[in-house]
Amino acid sequence: MAGSADVVFAGGGVIGLSAAWLSAEQGLTVRVVDPEPGRGAAWVAGGMLAPVAEATFGEEALVGLFLDAAARWPAFASRLTEATGMETGFQECGTVAVALDASDRAEIDQLLDFRRELGLDTSRLSASECRSLVPGLSPAIRGGALMPGEQQVDNRAVVLALIEACARAGVDLVAERVASVSLGRDGAADGVLTEGGTLIPAGTVVLAAGAETPRIGGVPAGVIPPVRPVKGHMLRLRATGTGTAAGTAAGTAAGTAAGTGQAFEHIVRGLVHGHHSYLVPRADGSVVLGATAEERGYETTVRAGAVHMLLDDARLLLPGIDEWELLECIAGLRPGSPDNAPFVGPTSVPHLVLATGHYRNGFLLTPITAQAVAAYLTTGTVPPPLDAFPADRHLSAAPPAGT
Ligand SMILES: Cc1cc2nc3c(=O)[nH]c(=O)nc-3n(C[C@H](O)[C@H](O)[C@H](O)COP(=O)(O)OP(=O)(O)OC[C@H]3O[C@@H](n4cnc5c(N)ncnc54)[C@H](O)[C@@H]3O)c2cc1C
């Protein structure tokens, strides 16, 4: 491995890869050290770019960041495709939220009010309007809401394109696991040490290992904020057989995605007796069904109970799902932060930078984070709006590294 790079990223998930790509495009020499780039939470995710549907009441401060992030996606997706010739699955497909009982309906009405306060296009839907937008919905649905303009990407297509974009921009991808950050005599970060014992020197180290970030050694206590793993189960299905929206006359009449190969046109967010679930239709005919949110530490075993719960809720929304092909059951770890906002920017250790804590919104926040990291590495300043979320907030609550 030749010489010291300007910057080394410990972790090449959607955040590390995108920031590495844009940094290399700014003329920096960049290495990404990751045993399996793109195979963390990014591989599991739903790929929804949902600035408000994912925010809850009390998170108003975050919504400005999320809206700004969403607005950057169309240009970012085009730039990624131009750089690689690869598709990202970016679509402005809109979301239909549906309620199964009266209290679910009331919760969706609250979301409608919140969106209207923000000036976002939203309309209340009757049960039959929901069913005409999403053929196959259960007759038990109590109504819902249409949120046009909500976007999605194909999460796996995005990380594969980012790996290609990094390669084309000259980023050196090193397939090793980082054991620790190397600190020089002056206490500044000067590279990373891999589990294989290799020192990879660099002018700046960016910790971008998602939920695993606090487990990277060598960093003094009190420097890394409390990032925790929040497990999410996800299923992938293919809408085939009877009772699905794909290819039905109803789908065609309703102007849905029938005939395009996509099972239905909109993302469907369901509230099922207080449980949140979602179905994201992909262009290839598959449908992503998610997701659980579990505090179980660092383990990604697929549990039968979680799969059962996801399917149970989904079949109350779309009874025809019983006939669908079950393609995959998988679980991943979201990098959770105490206030659901990411940690992007410098730490108290010179030349040690964080890009983690993106929790449920790592894809949504990819362009804005990548641009902020590249800007920080080239100018020394984290640009707005991410500068309002400094990486050293919440430090008093940080657990010791490695727990
Ligand atoms: C079930 C589920 C559904 C989700 N749905 C959505 C969604 O719809 N929309 C959305 O915006 N977000 C969603 N997310 C969240 C999103 O996936 C994450 O926020 C995002 O992946 C975080 O990106 P990251 O690069 O920080 O972490 P990751 O994607 O987890 O990547 C971390 C990388 O670090 C590497 N790594 C770990 N330890 C080391 C080490 N010691 N040395 C080197 N490399 C290391 C891993 O191999 C991995 O490649 C979802 C997540 C889950 C689990």
Side-chain angles (χ1 to χ4, degrees):
M1 190 173 308
S4 178
D6 292 324
V7 52
V8 63
F9 286 80
V14 67
I15 296 299
L17 289 169
S18 56
W21 171 44
L22 294 194
S23 301
E25 289 218 325
Q26 296 280 314
L28 299 176
T29 54
V30 181
R31 290 205 170 98
V32 173
V33 186
D34 189 321
E36 295 183 292
R39 297 288 170 148
W43 200 249
V44 179
M48 293 174 295
L49 311 173
V52 179
E54 286 278 307
T56 58
F57 291 95
E59 289 187 325
E60 287 83 352
L62 269 182
V63 170
L65 173 67
F66 290 167
L67 289 169
D68 188 337
R72 296 179 193 219
W73 254 104
F76 184 83
S78 303
R79 187 172 169 190
L80 188 51
T81 295
E82 272 163 31
T84 60
M86 295 166 74
E87 294 300 327
T88 61
F90 175 83
Q91 295 183 40
E92 200 176 289
C93 54
T95 295
V96 174
V98 295
L100 199 66
D101 65 28
S103 84
D104 296 334
R105 167 92 256 187
E107 195 173 327
I108 287 181
D109 284 343
Q110 279 185 332
L111 176 65
L112 277 171
D113 291 343
F114 185 44
R115 288 179 59 92
R116 283 188 187 127
E117 270 173 37
L118 294 166
L120 297 172
D121 191 7
T122 314
S123 47
R124 201 172 197 269
L125 297 176
S126 67
S128 65
E129 286 168 332
C130 289
R131 282 195 295 274
S132 65
L133 285 173
V134 186
L137 277 178
S138 162
I141 295 297
R142 297 292 289 262
L146 176 63
M147 300 179 261
E150 297 261 310
Q151 310 168 134
Q152 66 150 308
V153 287
D154 180 330
N155 53 314
R156 294 180 180 181
V158 168
V159 293
L160 293 174
L162 284 170
I163 289 170
E164 178 66 20
C166 280
R168 291 190 185 199
V171 174
D172 187 12
L173 290 173
V174 181
E176 289 202 57
R177 180 170 292 276
V178 171
S180 61
V181 175
S182 164
L183 300 182
R185 286 202 182 150
D186 57 358
D190 63 6
V192 295
L193 272 165
T194 69
E195 285 187 347
T198 309
L199 172 65
I200 301 181
T204 299
V205 174
V206 181
L207 297 182
E212 302 269 347
T213 302
R215 302 178 106 191
I216 291 178
V219 183
V223 171
I224 301 199
V227 174
R228 69 187 198 286
V230 182
K231 182 174 178 179
H233 280 81
M234 184 72 86
L235 310 185
R236 281 197 318 122
L237 302 107
R238 185 178 305 283
T240 54
T242 56
T244 70
T248 62
T252 309
T256 70
T260 66
Q262 190 158 306
F264 37 87
E265 181 180 349
H266 301 86
I267 295 168
V268 176
R269 282 187 175 270
L271 259 167
V272 181
H273 306 313
H275 294 174
H276 291 254
S277 76
Y278 53 80
L279 293 123
V280 187
R282 297 279 199 243
D284 67 359
S286 65
V287 176
V288 175
L289 164 61
T292 62
E294 308 163 51
E295 306 267 353
R296 289 175 178 264
Y298 287 97
E299 63 88 16
T300 53
T301 315
V302 174
R303 275 189 314 112
V307 174
H308 176 83
M309 191 189 84
L310 288 172
L311 285 173
D312 235 19
D313 287 349
R315 65 204 291 270
L316 289 174
L317 298 172
L318 278 165
I321 211 170
D322 280 354
E323 302 302 324
W324 292 11
E325 182 184 358
L326 180 56
L327 300 173
E328 185 179 7
C329 306
I330 190 169
L333 301 176
R334 306 174 184 90
S337 73
D339 56 5
N340 301 330
F343 298 107
V344 179
T347 66
S348 56
V349 171
H351 303 171
L352 183 67
V353 174
L354 284 180
T356 185
H358 293 77
Y359 190 38
R360 307 180 80 110
N361 291 293
F363 277 86
L364 172 65
L365 294 168
T366 286
I368 206 167
T369 301
Q371 288 158 5
V373 171
Y376 176 74
L377 292 172
T378 49
T379 67
T381 305
V382 177
L386 273 169
D387 60 342
F389 301 88
D392 61 359
R393 69 189 196 284
H394 299 299
L395 274 178
S396 56
T403 55

